C-alpha cells in the first residue's frame, strides 16, 4: 500500500462506508438526537443465546443513553417517561415489523411525591425538607431502601404493525405487570463493591410470561458498562497510526478496549424463546432493529410544579427519532443532510431513501484521495448490498429472497439465522462468519464480535477477493476490483466473548461513580 501513515479517523469513516459497518457504534450520530440523549440508541445486539442451558432462546439487547459518566449525580441516568422504546422483529423478509417489544417507563418520587424528607431545625421550628440526593443511605434491593424515587417500566408485545397491531401486556413470571429498574451505580459507599452491585442488580432480572408463548422468557433493564470497544477521542481527533499497525491481525487489540470502556450505558435486554419470534412458515431468519419515539408535541411549563417530569407536557402521535440495526450506519455512512431522516425512517423504505450511500459510498474514495489506499472500483457495490442489505446466501438471507433484492426489499437491519446453533463463549471467534464462526457477525451480533475489523475488510472489498466465495457472494465483482481486498485491516480495539458475562443479560455491570477509600 503506497502510504506511510493512515489516519484512524479516516479509517473510522472507511469502516462505516457500508450500511452495516461499524467503528464507533452510534453515539450522538445525528443533529437532533444530540438534543435528546435519553432516546439515543447506541448499539443493538441480536444473537442465539449461548448461556449454558439456554439453547432455543434468542437474546436482544438495545443500548440507550450512551457516554454516561459513572459519577453523573445527583440525577444519574433514568430513561424518558415520555418516550416509547421498541425492539422490532421481521420474521418473513419483507422489512416490516411482525413483532415489537415496547418499553414504557415511569419515574416516581417516593413518599407521596416528596422523596426522602429530613426533620430540620430545632424543636418548635422543625420542618420536613426534601433531600437533594437519590438516596439517604446504603442500598441492597430491600423494600426499605432509603431511595428518593423509583424507576419502573411496563413491557408489551405487539404483533403486526407497531401502531395498529394486536398489543398485549407482558407479565412477570410470578405475577404483576410493573417491573423495576435497579438504581445506577452511584458508588461503592451506596451500593457496595462490584460483586455487591452485581448481586443487587441481579434481583431485577425477571422471568416473563409473553402472551402467545408457552415458554417464559427474561427481561432486564439497567445501567451497564458500555461494551463497544473503540477510542472515540483518538479517532475523531485525526490521530494517525502507522500502516503497519492497522494492516496486521497481530495488532487487533493493540489499543485495548478504548475510551468508551470508561463509560456506562443503559441496556434493555430481552431473552425470548426462538419459536416465539420465527414465522409459522418455518423461516429461520429474523431481522431486528431498535427505535425510540417521542410524542409529536411538547409544551414547556415555565413554572414547573413539585415532582418529576412537570417541566413539560407531551402529546400527539408517536414520532420516531432514533433507529439502530447494523452498527454505525447513521453516524458515518448517511450524509449529514439525511441523518435525522434516517432516524425517522423504516427499513422497508431504505432502497428508495438511502441506497446510494451503499451502492456508491463516498468515504473509500476519500481515503484514496487523501492517502493513496486504493478503494474498490466495482460500482454499484453489490457486494456490500449482499452482505448488509439482503443477508449472506446460505447464512442469514431469508429463504424467500432468492436473488439480490428479490422476494424482499433491500433493507438495513441485523439478520440472524436462528437455525444456526450458538457457539459457546469460549469457542467464539471475534471475526464471526469471516473466520468460520457462522453464529457470529454479520449473522446477528454478539458482544464479542469485532464488527469493526470485519466491516473494514468488507468495505475494502474482502468479499470480492475471498478464496472459495461463491459467485453469488461476489456478485458485481471483477478481477482487480479490490486491490486492498486481502488486507487484514484492524482498528486496534478488540474484545472477546469471555470479557463479558456469559449469562443473561451478558453485558457487564456498570462502573461505580466512586470507589471506597
Amino acid at each position: 500500500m503506497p502510504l506511510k501513515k493512515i489516519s484512524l479517523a479516516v479509517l473510522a469513516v472507511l469502516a462505516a462506508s457500508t450500511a452495516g459497518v461499524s467503528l464507533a457504534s452510534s453515539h450522538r450520530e445525528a443533529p437532533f438526537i444530540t438534543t435528546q440523549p435519553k432516546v439515543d440508541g447506541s448499539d443493538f445486539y441480536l444473537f442465539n443465546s449461548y448461556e449454558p442451558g439456554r439453547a432455543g432462546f434468542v437474546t436482544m439487547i438495545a443500548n440507550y443513553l450512551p457516554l454516561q459518566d459513572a459519577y453523573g449525580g445527583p440525577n444519574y441516568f433514568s430513561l424518558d417517561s415520555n418516550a416509547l422504546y421498541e425492539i422490532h422483529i421481521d420474521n418473513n423478509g419483507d422489512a416490516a415489523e411482525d413483532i415489537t417489544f415496547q418499553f414504557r417507563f415511569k419515574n416516581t418520587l417516593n413518599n407521596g411525591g416528596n422523596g426522602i424528607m429530613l426533620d430540620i431545625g430545632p424543636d418548635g421550628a422543625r420542618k420536613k425538607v426534601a433531600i437533594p440526593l437519590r438516596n439517604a443511605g446504603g442500598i441492597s434491593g430491600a423494600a426499605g431502601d432509603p431511595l428518593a424515587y423509583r424507576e419502573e417500566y411496563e413491557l408489551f408485545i405487539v404483533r403486526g404493525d407497531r401502531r395498529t397491531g394486536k398489543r398485549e401486556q407482558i407479565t412477570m413470571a410470578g405475577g404483576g405487570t410493573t417491573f423495576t429498574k435497579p438504581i445506577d451505580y452511584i458508588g461503592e459507599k451506596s451500593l457496595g463493591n462490584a460483586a455487591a452491585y452485581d448481586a443487587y442488580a441481579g434481583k431485577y432480572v425477571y422471568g416473563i410470561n409473553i402472551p402467545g408463548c408457552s415458554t417464559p422468557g427474561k427481561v432486564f433493564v439497567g445501567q451497564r458498562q458500555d461494551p463497544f470497544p473503540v477510542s472515540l477521542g483518538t479517532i475523531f481527533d485525526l490521530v494517525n497510526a502507522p500502516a503497519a499497525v492497522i494492516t496486521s491481525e497481530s495488532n487487533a487489540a493493540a489499543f485495548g478496549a478504548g475510551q468508551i470502556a470508561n463509560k456506562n450505558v443503559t441496556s434493555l435486554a430481552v431473552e425470548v424463546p426462538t419459536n416465539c419470534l420465527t414465522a409459522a412458515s418455518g423461516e429461520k431468519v429474523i431481522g431486528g432493529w431498535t427505535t425510540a419515539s417521542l410524542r409529536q408535541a411538547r409544551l414547556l411549563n415555565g413554572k414547573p410544579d413539585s415532582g418529576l417530569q412537570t417541566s413539560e407536557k407531551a402529546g400527539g402521535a408517536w414520532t420516531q427519532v432514533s433507529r439502530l440495526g447494523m452498527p454505525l450506519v447513521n453516524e458515518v455512512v448517511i450524509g449529514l443532510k439525511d441523518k435525522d431522516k434516517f432516524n425517522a425512517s423504516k427499513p422497508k423504505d431504505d432502497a428508495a431513501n438511502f441506497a446510494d450511500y451503499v451502492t456508491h459510498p463516498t468515504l473509500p474514495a476519500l481515503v484514496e484521495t487523501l492517502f493513496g489506499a486504493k478503494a474498490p472500483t466495482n460500482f454499484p457495490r453489490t457486494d456490500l448490498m449482499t452482505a448488509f442489505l439482503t443477508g449472506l446466501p446460505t447464512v442469514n438471507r431469508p429463504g424467500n429472497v432468492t436473488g439480490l433484492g428479490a422476494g424482499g426489499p433491500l433493507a438495513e437491519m441485523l439478520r440472524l439465522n436462528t437455525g444456526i446453533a450458538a457457539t459457546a463463549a469460549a469457542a467464539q471467534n471475534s471475526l464471526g462468519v469471516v473466520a468460520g464462526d457462522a453464529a457470529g457477525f454479520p449473522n446477528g451480533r454478539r458482544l464479542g464480535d469485532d464488527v469493526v475489523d470485519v466491516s473494514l475488510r468488507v468495505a475494502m472489498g474482502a468479499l470480492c477477493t475471498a478464496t472459495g466465495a461463491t459467485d453469488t457472494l461476489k456478485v458485481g465483482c471483477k478481477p482487480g476490483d479490490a486491490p486492498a481486498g486481502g488486507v487484514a485491516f484492524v482498528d486496534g480495539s478488540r474484545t472477546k466473548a469471555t470479557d463479558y458475562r456469559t449469562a443473561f443479560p451478558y453485558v457487564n455491570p456498570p462502573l461505580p461513580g466512586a470507589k471506597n477509600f
Side-chain angles (χ1 to χ4, degrees), residues 435-516:
D437 183 358
F441 183 79
N443 181 27
R445 180 187 178 190
R446 306 167 299 193
L447 296 178
D449 286 337
D450 193 340
V451 297
V452 175
D453 292 356
V454 173
S455 300
L456 276 169
R457 299 173 194 194
V458 172
M460 288 303 289
L463 297 184
C464 290
T465 60
T467 303
T470 65
D471 291 339
T472 302
L473 198 59
K474 293 185 176 183
V475 63
C477 301
K478 302 184 299 294
D481 271 343
V487 176
F489 285 101
V490 301
D491 76 310
S493 295
R494 182 176 292 179
T495 55
K496 56 186 183 298
T498 51
D499 291 330
Y500 308 99
R501 293 172 57 100
T502 56
F504 185 85
Y506 294 95
V507 195
N508 287 338
L511 303 171
K515 288 183 173 291
N516 289 330

Side-chain angles (χ1 to χ4, degrees), residues 215-235:
T215 303
K218 293 182 181 180
V219 68
F220 171 82
V221 174
Q223 190 181 48
R224 301 278 95 179
Q225 182 182 12
D226 197 318
F228 195 84
V230 67
S231 295
L232 289 178
T234 300
I235 290 169

Side-chain angles (χ1 to χ4, degrees), residues 47-414:
F47 54 89
N48 292 319
S49 299
Y50 50 87
E51 176 183 350
R54 301 299 285 181
F57 288 83
V58 169
T59 295
M60 300 164 278
I61 303 171
N63 286 345
Y64 279 87
L65 218 175
L67 303 178
Q68 297 176 17
D69 290 318
Y71 49 82
N75 289 297
Y76 297 95
F77 302 97
S78 58
L79 293 178
D80 192 346
S81 60
N82 287 326
L84 177 62
Y85 300 85
E86 297 176 294
I87 296 174
H88 309 283
I89 295 295
D90 164 30
N91 61 20
N92 60 11
D94 65 356
E97 68 273 7
D98 299 294
I99 299 172
T100 296
F101 295 90
Q102 295 182 339
F103 295 80
R104 289 299 314 276
F105 290 88
K106 182 179 181 181
N107 304 320
T108 306
L109 279 168
N110 292 325
N111 188 26
N114 293 302
I116 295 174
M117 306 185 79
L118 299 180
D119 291 325
I120 304 297
D123 291 344
R126 184 168 297 183
K127 293 186 177 182
K128 286 188 175 293
V129 182
I131 69 170
L133 306 180
R134 290 287 307 272
N135 62 308
I139 301 166
S140 65
D145 280 344
L147 283 170
Y149 75 90
R150 60 189 182 275
E151 300 172 64
E152 299 171 324
Y153 61 97
E154 292 182 298
L155 182 59
F156 300 86
I157 185 171
V158 182
R159 290 184 170 87
D161 182 270
R162 67 180 80 175
R163 300 293 173 260
T164 62
K166 183 180 181 181
R167 185 173 186 258
E168 299 175 277
Q169 190 154 34
I170 292 173
T171 60
M172 296 180 196
T177 60
T178 301
F179 302 87
T180 302
K181 172 185 174 290
I183 194 170
D184 295 342
Y185 199 176
I186 293 170
E188 292 188 350
K189 185 173 183 179
S190 292
L191 287 147
N193 61 19
Y197 184 86
D198 196 23
Y200 158 74
K203 296 177 181 180
Y204 302 95
V205 175
Y206 295 95
I208 54 175
N209 294 319
I210 306 170
C213 301
S214 58
T215 303
K218 293 182 181 180
V219 68
F220 171 82
V221 174
Q223 190 181 48
R224 301 278 95 179
Q225 182 182 12
D226 197 318
F228 195 84
V230 67
S231 295
L232 289 178
T234 300
I235 290 169
F236 292 123
D237 196 32
L238 300 179
V239 175
N240 292 334
V245 173
I246 51 82
T247 59
S248 172
E249 176 65 20
S250 63
N251 293 317
F255 307 136
Q259 290 167 328
I260 63 172
N262 294 322
K263 303 289 185 179
N264 291 329
V265 72
T266 300
S267 294
L268 284 61
V270 188
E271 187 181 54
V272 179
T274 304
N275 58 14
C276 288
L277 297 177
T278 53
S281 66
E283 173 62 62
K284 298 297 184 183
V285 175
I286 60 175
W289 67 100
T290 183
T291 64
S293 300
L294 296 172
R295 291 296 188 183
Q296 197 169 39
R298 171 180 295 172
L299 179 66
L300 299 182
N301 182 1
K303 296 181 179 180
D305 301 322
S306 295
L308 301 176
Q309 280 83 43
T310 64
S311 294
E312 68 178 34
K313 294 290 184 180
W318 288 116
T319 302
Q320 183 180 304
V321 296
S322 181
R323 170 188 165 189
L324 182 61
M326 284 279 195
L328 195 63
V329 176
N330 205 13
E331 193 162 30
V332 286
V333 176
I334 304 298
L336 183 60
K337 69 184 184 71
D338 286 329
K339 288 181 179 293
D340 288 333
K341 180 179 181 179
F342 179 86
N343 267 347
S345 67
K346 296 181 178 181
K348 66 182 181 63
D349 299 320
D350 287 346
N353 290 332
F354 310 112
D356 287 352
Y357 290 115
V358 181
T359 61
H360 292 72
T362 60
L363 298 175
L366 178 61
V367 172
E368 180 174 344
T369 299
L370 296 177
F371 300 99
K374 297 295 291 183
T377 56
N378 52 307
F379 294 101
R381 289 294 302 274
T382 48
D383 58 322
L384 302 185
M385 295 164 68
T386 300
F388 300 113
L389 298 185
T390 67
L392 296 174
T394 74
V395 179
N396 63 342
R397 178 178 292 185
N400 67 322
V401 183
T402 56
L404 189 61
L410 298 173
E412 183 277 305
M413 65 178 81
L414 275 179

